Amino acid sequence: MGRYLIRRLIQAVFVLVVISAITFFLFWATPANPALLICGKNCNAETVAQVNATYGFDKPLVVQYGQYMQGLVSPGGRTIGSEGNERNCPWPCFGESYQNGIPVWNSIKDAFPATLWLALGAAVLWLVAGVMLGLIAALRKGKFIDKLSVGLALFGVSFPTIVFGYLLLYLFIVKLNWIPFPDTANAALFSVGPVKWLQFYILPWITLALVFAALYTRITRANMIDTMNEDYIRTARAKGLDERTVVFKHGLRSALTPIVTIFGLDVGGLLGGAVITEQIFSITGLGKFSIDSVLSNDLPAIMGVVLFAAIFVVLANIVVDVLYAVIDPRVRLA
Amino acid sequence: MTESVTSAPPADTRAGKPFLEVKDLQVHFPTDDGMVRAVNGLNFTLERGKTLGIVGESGSGKSVSSLAIMGLHKGSKAKVTGEIWLDGAELVGMSVPEMRALRGQQVAMIFQDPLSAMHPFFRVGDQLTEAFLVHNDAPKAVAKKRAIELLDRVGIPSPDKRFFDYPHQFSGGMRQRAMIAMALMCDPSLLIADEPTTALDVTVQAQILDLMKDLQKEFNSAIILITHDLGVVAKMTENVVVMYGGRVVESGNVRDIFYRPEMPYTWGLLGSIPRVNRSGDGRLKSIRGTPPSLINLPKGCPFQPRCDYQEHVEGANCSTELPELLQIGQEQHRVRCHIKSEERRQLFTEQIKPSL
Amino acid sequence: MSTTTSAEQTGKEVAGGELLLETRGLQRYFPVTQGIIFQKQTGAVKAVDGVDLSLHAGETLGVVGESGCGKTTTGRLVTRLDEPTAGSISFLGSDISHLSRAKMRPFRREIQMIFQDPFSSLNPRQTVGTIIGAPYDIQKVKTETGTKKAVQTLMERVGLNPEHYNRYPHEFSGGQRQRIGVARALALRPKLIVCDEPVSALDVSIQAQIVNLLEDLQEEFGLAYLFIAHDLSVIRHISDRVAVMYLGKVVETADRDELYNHARHPYTHALLSAVPEADPDAEDARERIRLTGDVPSPLNPPSGCRFRTRCWKAQEICAAEEPPLMQIGAPGHQSACHFPEERDVV
């Protein structure tokens, strides 16, 4: 187990380095000139040269990449800025935004809680809804309730999130007025109080959860139907166990194992930002932050958010594999 | 047959009656393609301490019958009719909770593939104790003690340690031993073994069959052994039922079936198997064609499309009329065939026996 | 002795009794690795560990043993679906042990395989005609009458209705699927067919049909079979010679009747004694040898004689020295035991 984790973590670091390199060099392959972006309207050859010197754009690409990585690896961060205007960018240093000079790490730290609450809330919602619907459908296979949930799942999978989100927003906030118009872009749980917090997040949660709930319904249903046909379920019945024990103790445990894997990966992926949902409801989370960064060609911000999201995906993979081994005794980590 | 037997005390009604009696059992499943007639009138009796072999190929209805005795078709779409009397109680008409109380307690089952028949996520010991605790209001420690005793009895080394293993940590033979121990947890009087050794190697099969014989003596249980392996039948059973197309085509004691068979299908089965104790250099006497579809059973005798002896039937009604399962001689030897008994005996002695 | 020589022989009649296949010291180890970043080998599963077999044209060699004895791996090595770790396989005098795919191609016409599971070994999306005709396409063989006609002739020969040319495997029963597998193997008129448990998934009555078919085809086309099975009765019926394997090694080999009637190796005795006979009186009268325990792991096989941990005759020498296959009894009978003895078990 220990050896396994060490190996996986080393692999993870390797993956992250590759991702950072690809992002970094891809960005420089685009026609945008960062120096022009930074100096803005009053650009001339002189200011561009100055900016290039300040930010080190005149250095070879590999050296720039090396400096960038140093800020992430060295415990002291790194020094940025030109001579006379040097400042320390503390660890973890993702650089400063070209747009406004704010350290990217600070922006990420500010945006992350909104994304976290959005993802976790939606995850609970879709997990409960998906598993319950899927389970009921599987146990009542072929009956009305099964057909209904299969239909709902199909609807959920095919309904575009962006339409669904705006529909909810229009219906409950604009038309019915059940939920007040959000007056803050980033509801922190402890500053606005739980009621406002819930009001703020409930529609984004539903929007984000819809597709996932539909997928999980399908997966749970299929897994459960397969599991209930297994020989060991017949054995459980042959022991004289009542149907509830057979379904919940012997059946559900096996049927949910693959769900754990997908769930971990889905949540891990969402922690990097739910772009569409955040956009619809104007939540200033990582998704919105990454869109803004991409649209303004803000390299440090893009790098930062990509790496940050990648860390979650890579970690989620490890967590899921370990968890799988805990649930299924046949799986040995090696 | 009285109808009030179900609730009557067993002692009175049981007098003179067999321990297990299956009468005209039928199991049909409605499917999209039509009605699957898996079992069409199964009859047999079985006493404690005895073993009955049910022999047949895939689709003969042998496994479906065993599930019907366990009541495992209850709550599914299957239509089960007929009567199953076990120790004075009728099982077909029994309610689901009543049947559940019997399952594992009085009737237990050993399945073919012990790897898939045990839950991969639960420890072997826990699966054993679960079988005990569901029928006995006892502390866990008692169940654990019983489980370890039985694991020891079925020949698992250091059972107190192996109690905590998962099924995949056992070898195939040990898993089947554990499966047997699990079936014995509540000391059942009837044990149904569905191809218990088919998935095992031959030396392990021999160990398991010996073990089952020993345990039967010790627990005085009745065993229904379902198998396609005629060697296993010869070794283990006193009585045999040969099934084909969901029907009994021949039944009797094991020596009748092996030395004096009268149904052409039984002849075919015996001729199909190569022998380990002699080198038959000729061709095997195979049966032509394939087993029938249970959705579309042939009219008349189910074996008729594959039977080579129809010219011996007077009136040639094999394809129109189902022959009855008739008793011949004094013993409980029954045969379903239109050919006259004397002629069948002559055919067997002259044509079949020399080539076996 | 070159590749081309034997490829040119295709189609020519082989003289009866010609040495077709010979393996010498055949080994296949599956490495077991461990390590944090760089994997290093920490052991090996010795699936096949020094197997010598020889097979003549038109002959059937039965290979029998329990699961994990290496019989299936041996079959895969002979057909070169797998490459041996050491040792040699020669086919008609050419060494094919390490040939590349391209160089192996001409030999594939001569060596075909029939698999155990008629359900998973046929591509469900191809018609029967395509499956059986595939060898012609792969080997770019032109048949005189056209592929379709050739396939239909084959189908008829193995007992399938040629009109079912365009059907898919799922429309056939298990026995018929195995016939499809036989027809595919037969298409290029090979000299050798490796049959890996070809009848163990089939019903008794169907099993007999396939065994009969294989015997008829052998006579008609002069085929040699390497017949791998765990069923000792089927092996006795179909084989001319038999090799008994245990933990990656051949422990005893002899002509069929010699092996079944005068076996010298305790493991062969135990195997034969364990087979239940379809004869209640004989079954009651039989002497029983019961092995205890399971087959040891091939990752770490016992020292000396591999069977010694389960053998009732084992002495000190058995742990210290590995008994070689030694000539004993009738010609061609070899047994690997320090204390060979005849015993009546069947």
Side-chain angles (χ1 to χ4, degrees):
Chain A
M1 185 75 170
R3 291 169 71 91
Y4 173 80
L5 273 181
I6 293 171
R7 202 177 88 223
R8 285 299 301 268
L9 286 172
I10 294 173
Q11 283 172 352
V13 169
F14 180 73
V15 168
L16 290 174
V17 168
V18 170
I19 291 175
S20 67
I22 291 173
T23 322
F24 194 87
F25 293 113
L26 263 186
F27 179 84
W28 283 98
T30 60
N33 182 348
L36 287 176
L37 285 172
I38 292 164
C39 66
K41 281 175 188 157
N42 40 8
C43 261
N44 56 41
E46 204 177 317
T47 45
V48 167
Q50 199 189 338
V51 169
N52 276 342
T54 308
Y55 283 87
F57 294 151
D58 49 356
K59 297 206 178 86
L61 212 50
V62 181
V63 175
Q64 290 185 41
Y65 176 68
Q67 285 176 342
Y68 183 83
M69 290 311 282
Q70 192 202 343
L72 293 177
V73 179
S74 149
R78 68 180 167 121
T79 311
I80 51 178
S82 54
E83 278 177 32
N85 190 19
E86 292 151 322
R87 52 203 180 275
N88 177 261
C89 172
W91 185 87
C93 174
F94 287 91
E96 288 173 354
S97 165
Y98 294 162
Q99 285 292 314
N100 47 26
I102 298 172
V104 171
W105 177 238
N106 291 359
S107 306
I108 290 177
K109 271 195 297 192
D110 288 345
F112 183 60
T115 292
L116 181 71
W117 291 125
L118 176 63
L120 289 187
V124 170
L125 205 62
W126 90 59
L127 188 66
V128 171
V131 168
M132 269 178 43
L133 267 179
L135 183 66
I136 293 168
L139 296 178
R140 300 268 177 280
K141 190 177 160 236
K143 303 265 170 60
F144 172 74
I145 187 97
D146 176 28
K147 285 171 182 153
L148 183 74
S149 55
V150 170
L152 277 177
L154 188 64
F155 168 82
V157 172
S158 38
F159 206 64
T161 306
I162 196 149
V163 179
F164 184 67
Y166 278 118
L167 213 67
L168 285 184
L169 190 137
Y170 176 76
L171 196 66
F172 290 103
I173 297 182
V174 180
K175 198 82 188 164
L176 296 172
N177 240 324
W178 288 2
I179 296 169
F181 207 84
D183 52 2
T184 163
N186 195 349
L189 175 57
F190 304 106
S191 59
V192 295
V195 176
K196 268 204 135 176
W197 184 74
L198 266 178
Q199 283 176 343
F200 180 82
Y201 276 115
I202 187 75
L203 292 185
W205 283 342
I206 296 174
T207 307
L208 184 56
L210 178 75
V211 177
F212 289 104
L215 282 173
Y216 280 51
T217 303
R218 284 171 150 196
I219 299 167
T220 308
R221 178 179 179 275
N223 281 343
M224 196 63 193
I225 288 173
D226 284 350
T227 305
M228 293 309 282
N229 283 325
E230 290 280 355
D231 284 357
Y232 54 78
I233 294 297
R234 191 184 51 187
T235 309
R237 291 199 175 113
K239 280 180 186 174
L241 296 176
D242 59 70
E243 199 57 23
R244 214 182 54 206
T245 314
V246 172
V247 169
F248 287 99
K249 186 176 165 193
H250 290 250
L252 202 56
R253 168 115 190 233
S254 311
L256 286 189
T257 308
I259 303 235
V260 169
T261 313
I262 314 167
F263 185 67
L265 297 179
D266 283 343
V267 173
L270 277 182
L271 289 179
V275 175
I276 296 175
T277 309
E278 289 180 17
Q279 192 70 32
I280 297 170
F281 294 96
S282 308
I283 301 170
T284 52
L286 283 177
K288 199 156 164 35
F289 179 66
S290 43
I291 288 225
D292 295 345
S293 315
V294 169
L295 291 180
S296 54
N297 265 316
D298 196 346
L299 174 66
I302 295 173
M303 280 290 286
V305 82
V306 165
L307 272 182
F308 190 73
I311 289 170
F312 280 110
V313 172
V314 169
L315 282 182
N317 265 295
I318 298 177
V319 168
V320 156
D321 286 350
V322 170
L323 215 56
Y324 204 102
V326 171
I327 297 173
D328 188 340
R330 287 170 301 180
V331 176
R332 285 182 55 211
L333 301 176
Chain B
M1 185 74 348
T2 50
E3 305 238 313
S4 58
V5 192
T6 321
S7 51
D12 299 349
T13 47
R14 252 169 56 194
K17 279 203 186 154
F19 170 67
L20 172 71
E21 183 170 23
V22 173
K23 286 168 115 180
D24 195 32
L25 182 70
Q26 313 218 4
V27 185
H28 295 174
F29 304 91
T31 67
D32 293 340
D33 299 324
M35 186 68 84
V36 175
R37 296 173 200 282
V39 182
N40 305 294
L42 175 63
N43 294 283
F44 65 81
T45 61
L46 178 61
E47 296 297 346
R48 286 197 77 147
K50 299 282 185 200
T51 303
L52 172 83
I54 302 185
V55 186
E57 299 180 88
S58 45
S60 64
K62 55 189 197 305
S63 291
V64 174
S65 315
S66 68
L67 295 180
I69 298 170
M70 290 292 289
L72 287 173
H73 293 308
K74 285 182 199 288
S76 77
K77 283 180 186 167
K79 289 194 185 99
V80 182
T81 56
E83 296 167 36
I84 300 169
W85 292 89
L86 177 74
D87 209 4
E90 204 285 313
L91 306 187
V92 173
M94 204 175 243
S95 73
V96 175
E98 279 178 300
M99 191 65 228
R100 199 183 291 138
L102 279 187
R103 261 184 229 151
Q105 168 90 300
Q106 218 181 342
V107 198
M109 197 154 178
I110 304 168
F111 296 101
Q112 172 173 356
D113 181 359
L115 182 59
S116 61
M118 296 186 98
H119 201 296
F121 294 177
F122 298 125
R123 294 175 197 280
V124 170
D126 291 338
Q127 302 196 41
L128 262 69
T129 51
E130 186 184 42
F132 184 77
L133 292 171
V134 65
H135 296 295
N136 295 277
D137 189 17
K140 265 195 170 164
V142 176
K144 184 180 171 187
K145 191 165 160 278
R146 167 124 185 116
I148 292 175
E149 271 169 23
L150 274 171
L151 285 174
D152 188 35
R153 177 64 195 86
V154 298
I156 291 192
S158 42
D160 48 335
K161 291 197 187 71
R162 303 313 293 257
F163 180 90
F164 296 102
D165 277 358
Y166 289 97
H168 72 272
Q169 291 167 303
F170 276 34
S171 69
M174 290 215 298
R175 272 196 290 267
Q176 196 56 293
R177 286 170 194 273
M179 193 78 208
I180 292 174
M182 189 155 91
L184 294 178
M185 282 300 281
C186 297
D187 209 346
S189 44
L190 173 63
L191 205 56
I192 303 176
D194 188 355
E195 303 272 9
T197 56
T198 306
L200 304 176
D201 276 321
V202 57
T203 57
V204 181
Q205 162 172 294
Q207 295 169 11
I208 298 290
L209 293 179
D210 286 350
L211 173 68
M212 284 176 64
K213 274 196 153 176
D214 291 349
L215 291 171
Q216 179 173 37
K217 272 185 208 136
E218 197 174 317
F219 293 84
N220 193 33
S221 41
I223 297 182
I224 297 178
L225 182 69
I226 295 163
T227 181
H228 69 278
D229 187 327
L230 292 168
V232 173
V233 173
K235 181 185 164 73
M236 297 291 289
T237 66
E238 283 89 21
N239 289 294
V240 182
V241 168
V242 182
M243 288 189 77
Y244 187 81
R247 293 186 192 282
V248 178
V249 292
E250 183 160 10
S251 66
N253 80 45
V254 67
R255 283 176 174 74
D256 281 339
I257 300 296
F258 278 87
Y259 302 137
R260 294 172 288 278
E262 294 201 12
M263 165 77 195
Y265 176 64
T266 316
W267 299 343
L269 274 186
L270 288 168
S272 290
I273 46 166
R275 308 293 176 129
V276 74
N277 54 348
R278 54 203 119 122
S279 300
D281 273 316
R283 292 163 55 88
L284 294 169
K285 291 264 175 293
S286 64
I287 308 171
R288 66 190 159 87
T290 49
S293 148
L294 293 171
I295 293 177
N296 213 346
L297 280 168
K299 275 190 185 140
C301 174
F303 188 57
Q304 171 266 325
R306 303 175 73 189
C307 184
D308 285 327
Y309 300 92
Q310 290 174 60
E311 74 258 32
H312 299 280
V313 177
E314 281 172 41
N317 54 352
C318 289
S319 56
T320 50
E321 207 174 304
L322 176 69
E324 275 184 74
L325 186 68
L326 292 176
Q327 182 166 336
I328 50 170
Q330 280 97 37
E331 296 277 330
Q332 293 287 312
H333 188 183
R334 291 163 194 271
V335 179
R336 189 190 291 282
C337 183
H338 281 311
I339 307 173
K340 287 215 174 77
S341 188
E342 306 85 67
E343 191 159 2
R344 291 194 303 241
R345 262 172 243 164
Q346 198 187 341
L347 278 170
F348 178 71
T349 346
E350 287 171 6
Q351 296 187 18
I352 313 294
K353 206 174 175 191
S355 63
L356 287 183
Chain C
M1 291 285 270
S2 71
T3 316
T4 41
T5 331
S6 86
E8 280 161 10
Q9 284 174 352
T10 311
K12 281 181 210 159
E13 200 56 40
V14 181
E18 182 188 359
L19 183 61
L20 205 58
L21 176 81
E22 192 169 32
T23 73
R24 282 282 162 265
L26 200 60
Q27 279 186 356
R28 179 65 172 105
Y29 290 0
F30 296 97
V32 177
T33 58
Q34 211 174 24
I36 289 185
I37 303 175
F38 299 106
Q39 303 273 312
K40 59 176 184 290
Q41 189 173 334
T42 54
V45 175
K46 296 166 180 165
V48 174
D49 198 5
V51 166
D52 299 346
L53 296 173
S54 59
L55 178 58
H56 296 262
E59 182 189 45
T60 302
L61 172 64
V63 178
V64 70
E66 297 181 283
S67 46
C69 74
K71 56 186 192 298
T72 294
T73 309
T74 305
R76 290 175 55 85
L77 291 173
V78 166
T79 44
R80 279 303 316 281
L81 292 174
D82 196 358
E83 193 172 342
T85 312
S88 69
I89 308 162
S90 72
F91 185 79
L92 283 171
S94 319
D95 187 347
I96 60 166
S97 331
H98 304 286
L99 289 188
S100 63
R101 281 179 84 98
K103 291 225 172 106
M104 193 56 210
R105 178 168 283 206
F107 291 99
R108 297 241 180 264
R109 298 176 61 162
E110 309 285 358
I111 310 174
Q112 288 288 326
M113 192 156 184
I114 301 172
F115 298 92
Q116 169 174 8
D117 188 349
F119 292 87
S120 62
S121 58
L122 302 177
N123 185 341
R125 285 180 234 296
Q126 288 185 344
T127 63
V128 171
T130 316
I131 291 172
I132 301 176
Y136 295 121
D137 293 342
I138 294 165
Q139 294 281 355
K140 302 191 176 54
V141 172
K142 288 260 170 14
T143 49
E144 289 167 31
T145 49
T147 305
K148 182 171 179 180
K149 193 85 191 95
V151 168
Q152 290 188 325
T153 315
L154 267 173
M155 286 177 73
E156 198 156 8
R157 181 61 201 87
V158 299
L160 292 166
N161 185 345
E163 286 166 20
H164 295 166
Y165 184 85
N166 281 320
R167 294 202 178 175
Y168 289 89
H170 69 88
E171 298 175 70
F172 293 87
S173 68
Q176 287 172 320
R177 284 185 219 208
Q178 201 54 295
R179 288 177 196 271
I180 298 171
V182 173
R184 173 177 61 182
L186 203 62
L188 296 169
R189 298 283 183 274
K191 294 193 176 73
L192 168 64
I193 299 184
V194 175
C195 312
D196 188 5
E197 299 275 9
V199 296
S200 57
L202 305 174
D203 270 324
V204 181
S205 68
I206 308 300
Q207 187 174 324
Q209 294 173 358
I210 300 293
V211 167
N212 284 341
L213 174 68
L214 288 174
E215 290 192 321
D216 293 348
L217 294 173
Q218 177 165 48
E219 208 164 292
E220 189 174 333
F221 299 106
L223 298 168
Y225 292 132
L226 185 69
F227 198 96
I228 298 162
H230 70 277
D231 186 326
L232 288 137
S233 313
V234 171
I235 288 280
R236 175 163 202 174
H237 181 84
I238 203 163
S239 307
D240 298 308
R241 285 188 306 119
V242 179
V244 180
M245 287 186 72
Y246 187 76
L247 270 179
K249 286 192 180 291
V250 173
V251 295
E252 185 156 27
T253 176
D255 285 348
R256 186 245 319 249
D257 288 338
E258 170 76 7
L259 187 102
Y260 280 77
N261 296 329
H262 309 288
R264 300 298 209 288
H265 198 284
Y267 179 61
T268 314
H269 292 148
L271 266 186
L272 290 172
S273 156
V275 182
E277 282 173 31
D279 188 337
D281 288 338
E283 196 49 50
D284 285 351
R286 261 171 104 189
E287 185 200 4
R288 294 207 177 130
I289 304 170
R290 287 293 174 264
L291 293 183
T292 49
D294 295 296
V295 182
S297 158
L299 189 61
N300 193 10
S303 67
C305 173
R306 294 187 176 190
F307 183 58
R308 71 174 164 87
T309 50
R310 300 170 79 198
C311 184
W312 58 97
K313 286 180 172 179
Q315 307 281 325
E316 272 167 37
I317 186 176
C318 301
E321 251 179 68
E322 185 173 335
L325 269 172
M326 300 267 279
Q327 167 67 36
I328 189 168
H333 187 165
Q334 291 183 314
S335 187
C337 179
H338 288 301
F339 307 101
E341 122 186 89
E342 235 187 293
R343 184 165 177 176
D344 197 16
V345 278
V346 286

